[in-house]
Amino acid sequence: MSVRHLDRLFQPRHVAVIGVSRRPDGVGALVWRNLREAGLQGPMWAVNRTPFDLDGAPVFTSVEALPQAPDLAVICTPADSVPALVDQLGRRGTRAAIVLSAGLREGRTADGRSLEQAMLDAARPHLLRILGPNCIGALVPGHGLNASFAPGQALAGELAFVTQSGALATAMLDWANARGIGFSHFVSLGDSADVDFGDLLDYLGSDPHTRAILLYIESVKHARKFMSAARAAARNKPVVLVKAGRRPDGARAAASHTGALAGSDPVFDAAVRRAGMLRVDTLESLFDAAQTLARVHHWRGPRLAVLTNGGGAGVLAADTLGGGELATLSDATLARLDACLPANWSRGNPVDIIGDAPPQRYMDALRVLLGAPEVDGLLFMHAPTAIAPATGIAQACLPLLREAGTPVLTCWLGGQRVAAARALYDEQGIACYATPEQATAAWLQLRDYHAAQAALMQLPQSRTELQYPDREGARALVDAALARGGEWLDELDAKHLLGAYGIPCVVTERVADLDAALAAAERIGYPVALKIVSPQVLHKSDVGGVALDLKNAAQLREAAHAMNERVTHAQPDAHLAGFTVQAMVHRPQAFETIVGIASDPVFGPVLLFGEGGTAVEVRADRAIALPPLNAVLARDLIARTGVAALLRGYRSRPPAKLDAIVDVLLRLSQLASDLAPVAELDINPLLVDAEGAIALDARVRVRPAAPTREGSHLALRPYPSGLERTLSIDGATLRLRPIRPDDGERLSRFYEACSPEDLRLRFFFTRREVPPSELARYCQIDYEREMAFIALAGDTLCGEARAVCDPDNDTAEFAVQVAQPWQGRGLGRALLDQLIEHLRARGTRELVGWCLEVNHGMVNLARATGIGMRGGADGTLELRMALGRSIDSARPHT
């Protein structure tokens, strides 16, 4: 990811349009007119090989002939000319270009490269950033920039809109102008050969002029880059998106249940959820959501009360709330409403205050509902009547709604009669909708958005670290299967793989023939299950290759003969390689679930949980999450399935042990992180009851994986266990490791034990505590762009050193804090040394930080480490240390 030189792209001082022609309808001429009309405050130059007069401005014949290097060049020339032009611009000093030309992916150079690759190769030595090719361009109304051939200008505003579709960009601009919607940035990515969603999320996420980021996505190229940038941006401001292609690109012929269930769109949903973004279905919903999130604050929860003067409108709102939750009004609230409403009011939620309601009745009911503890949000609805004008009601209720501590949405039904009321509320920044359906859809968007944001802030409880009996043995097992050229592990090897990660499996033996099966059954103990072994048979039950609850040798012998006949008849090409014999598990109160790993072509491994059994694909009750998981995320994955309600128990069936499922999911998450060759893994069923969980059947598909950095096959960088080490200080042994999400309690105790002065030196202001949201931010770090090392004495956190890198990996801002009992003993130096070593390894150029002049411990540590210091403002010191990488060696993703 990189934001380098994106300021030249979106805030240029001067712009050159290359490829301006005499034809008024040519792309270059349209771009030139748009630039002139947008009002850019700075020189604009036109370039064409043939000079002519253009609106009184000279046309230059080449890049070299320009008066100076433009900050931004807009290229409108044929595809085969683009690589040379980019090279000329880079040599001249230009650092940003918008390439509107199409056909660069298809065209080829003399040496066989695509024209697009040749363009990128020409840009790379100069760190020249490219938007496009094959795009509409970019508009930044607040800067007076319209470097596009869109039909018209954009209004200035605080929404950033980024789209991959050029045709959609022009239509959306026209739609937004008609509705008075303005933009901070309006960007068409086109083929996004260089600048892509990840870069723009990083840039716009920290742009002070952008309140919310809206995306239209057709595909994601670099999953880890996208996820890292999206998570960072979504912590700062709302990120709302529409993604085209909810249906799979084509039915993937996945042989495992897990692979069949995990289609590309559910995986994308899981990625959006993990990043804290909001996905909506339509472009109109995109803008509705942005407006709603900007106007509705103080989120409290999902329970909605509806206040209306029309029963039908209230019922419609309740019906369209769908999966939302209507608040159940308490007896106390009902009594207070009885005291201020007519006897014939609805006495329930929706609260129908009757069509003749005057302003005072609205106000009285509002006060009751806004003060009700069981109400998390309010939908205020009004249908026009001849008795009480809408404008009067709007003006009377406005002070209450404006000062409400409860989220409020309003719906003014009708046209001209309510137009003034609707305009008043729009002007006052109160969320306002024309229909109950729009209002309830907005409430559901709020719910989903805040649920995603809350997930970013949740911290799992500290827990005993998972033990993996034989991780290296698991790698050896997978490597051996790949060496044999096999794709699917047989059932016994699959269970050995699970066993290596501590996942409980039913006792199973693989045998070559019937006599060996009889002997195995005697060892295991009847009753047993018998299953066919054949490389060609993946779903054994489909071909009669499974016999259950065999109580003695005679039943086993009969089942084996019948099984051979059925399988031979059903699948004549199948090679029968023997049987597996496994103990029958009699757990009549157990639930059948499925857990597994699937591979997505963009986001890599994903985890799946849902209802299991033979009808798993028919029911398709499942949820998907991206690894790595922690306990909170694992529980959320379970909760998002229909089977979750059954697992809580019902009637005489006791609840299942959810901790056992969580444990299995965490172990599968680790397996997915460790073993890139595991393409699909299917445990079906995983039996779960009050006693725990056990895997009855498992399938594992492996594939060769290119050697990569550990965990690099995941869309989210996993916990870097390779950075763990031990440290000896004054005879005490400390563990020094990266921070994890489950360190929240430890970090909280660490800050609680700090003196007020220590906290002031660390945070530059006096504070009594660090709030949970901040603790979550400090523990749930993105290892792709930040690092925090902690030192542990037993379970006590003794010190921390952390750094956050900028998107270009140029600078890392750092901080160090050590508990009082460990100060002056070398722990701060050890933590900082480890942090510096890590940053150097990842190629960071410079370490930067600030401390108070009175922070003598940090001053001494900086001197001992070789960090330079210079005085700053208000009694602060600026700390800087070069880490050995030249800034020119940093390369954006071109």
Side-chain angles (χ1 to χ4, degrees), residues 152-218:
Q153 304 293 329
L155 299 175
E158 296 179 307
L159 300 179
F161 180 64
V162 183
T163 174
Q164 281 179 309
S165 167
L168 183 65
T170 57
M172 185 52 57
L173 184 59
D174 188 54
W175 183 90
N177 282 338
R179 286 159 179 79
I181 297 173
F183 299 94
S184 66
H185 298 74
F186 192 98
V187 184
S188 165
L189 283 176
D191 292 339
S192 56
D194 171 25
V195 176
D196 61 10
F197 282 116
D199 299 318
L200 289 181
L201 282 167
D202 268 319
Y203 180 83
L204 297 170
S206 58
D207 176 49
H209 305 295
T210 297
R211 173 176 50 77
I213 303 171
L214 313 181
L215 309 175
Y216 172 80
I217 298 177
E218 293 176 349

Side-chain angles (χ1 to χ4, degrees), residues 587-647:
R587 295 168 76 162
Q589 301 279 14
F591 299 91
E592 288 189 333
T593 65
I594 180 173
V595 294
I597 301 169
S599 294
D600 182 77
V602 175
F603 291 96
V606 296
L607 299 174
L608 178 143
F609 172 79
E611 183 181 0
T614 55
V616 61
E617 286 165 347
V618 176
R619 297 183 188 275
D621 170 26
R622 80 284 185 266
I624 294 170
L626 270 60
L629 294 186
N630 57 46
V632 168
L633 294 170
R635 287 184 175 275
D636 175 71
L637 177 61
I638 297 167
R640 288 188 281 118
T641 64
V643 75
L646 301 178
L647 294 172

Side-chain angles (χ1 to χ4, degrees), residues 12-326:
R13 294 163 299 176
H14 21 66
V15 180
V17 182
I18 303 176
V20 174
S21 68
R22 296 178 186 273
R23 292 189 300 110
D25 60 344
V27 171
L30 291 172
V31 173
W32 179 260
R33 285 201 300 273
N34 277 342
L35 275 170
R36 295 285 293 265
E37 292 171 5
L40 180 70
Q41 298 300 306
M44 292 176 287
W45 304 303
V47 178
N48 189 294
R49 287 179 297 182
T50 303
F52 61 94
D53 183 80
L54 181 65
D55 298 333
V59 174
F60 298 90
T61 58
S62 67
V63 170
E64 290 80 3
L66 291 172
Q68 64 185 100
D71 278 350
L72 171 65
V74 186
I75 300 177
C76 317
T77 60
D80 57 3
S81 67
V82 172
L85 285 169
V86 168
D87 179 62
Q88 294 166 23
L89 288 163
R91 293 178 187 277
R92 186 74 198 273
T94 298
R95 293 296 176 260
I98 298 175
V99 179
L100 306 181
S101 318
L104 275 83
R105 284 187 175 173
E106 298 77 15
R108 287 288 181 270
T109 63
D111 58 8
R113 291 175 297 165
S114 70
L115 293 173
E116 180 177 281
Q117 187 58 53
M119 173 189 71
L120 296 176
D121 291 343
R124 185 175 293 111
H126 313 291
L127 300 180
L128 189 154
R129 305 309 306 276
I130 294 174
L131 179 66
N134 191 26
C135 68
I136 297 296
L139 298 86
V140 186
H143 189 67
L145 178 70
N146 183 352
S148 79
F149 61 96
Q153 304 293 329
L155 299 175
E158 296 179 307
L159 300 179
F161 180 64
V162 183
T163 174
Q164 281 179 309
S165 167
L168 183 65
T170 57
M172 185 52 57
L173 184 59
D174 188 54
W175 183 90
N177 282 338
R179 286 159 179 79
I181 297 173
F183 299 94
S184 66
H185 298 74
F186 192 98
V187 184
S188 165
L189 283 176
D191 292 339
S192 56
D194 171 25
V195 176
D196 61 10
F197 282 116
D199 299 318
L200 289 181
L201 282 167
D202 268 319
Y203 180 83
L204 297 170
S206 58
D207 176 49
H209 305 295
T210 297
R211 173 176 50 77
I213 303 171
L214 313 181
L215 309 175
Y216 172 80
I217 298 177
E218 293 176 349
S219 62
V220 171
K221 290 183 179 179
H222 309 291
R224 179 172 288 190
K225 176 184 176 184
F226 174 79
M227 289 298 295
S228 182
R231 293 169 77 190
R235 288 183 185 274
N236 289 338
K237 60 193 64 172
V239 180
V240 189
L241 64 92
V242 169
K243 175 161 187 312
R246 278 197 173 272
R247 296 182 63 84
D249 297 334
R252 284 198 307 134
S256 75
H257 295 300
T258 306
L261 293 174
S264 60
D265 196 66
V267 173
F268 187 83
D269 269 342
V272 168
R273 184 183 185 89
R274 185 66 173 271
M277 300 182 289
L278 174 65
R279 183 180 184 183
V280 296
D281 294 331
T282 67
L283 291 168
E284 190 166 5
S285 297
L286 193 69
F287 290 96
D288 285 347
Q291 299 289 359
T292 300
L293 292 171
R295 294 182 171 189
V296 181
H297 307 289
H298 316 298
W299 177 257
R300 290 167 48 173
R303 299 170 300 179
L304 180 68
V306 178
L307 175 65
T308 177
N309 68 337
V315 171
L316 187 58
D319 287 345
T320 56
L321 193 59
E325 182 180 350
L326 278 175

Side-chain angles (χ1 to χ4, degrees), residues 489-492 508-513 530-538 540 545-546 563-564 567 574-581:
L489 303 187
D490 63 34
E491 184 178 2
L492 193 61
T508 303
E509 290 190 31
R510 181 176 56 221
V511 296
D513 52 33
L530 185 71
K531 300 179 182 179
I532 199 72
V533 173
S534 171
Q536 290 77 36
V537 178
L538 297 177
K540 304 175 182 66
V546 178
M563 187 179 296
N564 277 327
V567 174
H575 169 64
L576 305 183
F579 304 93
T580 58
V581 183

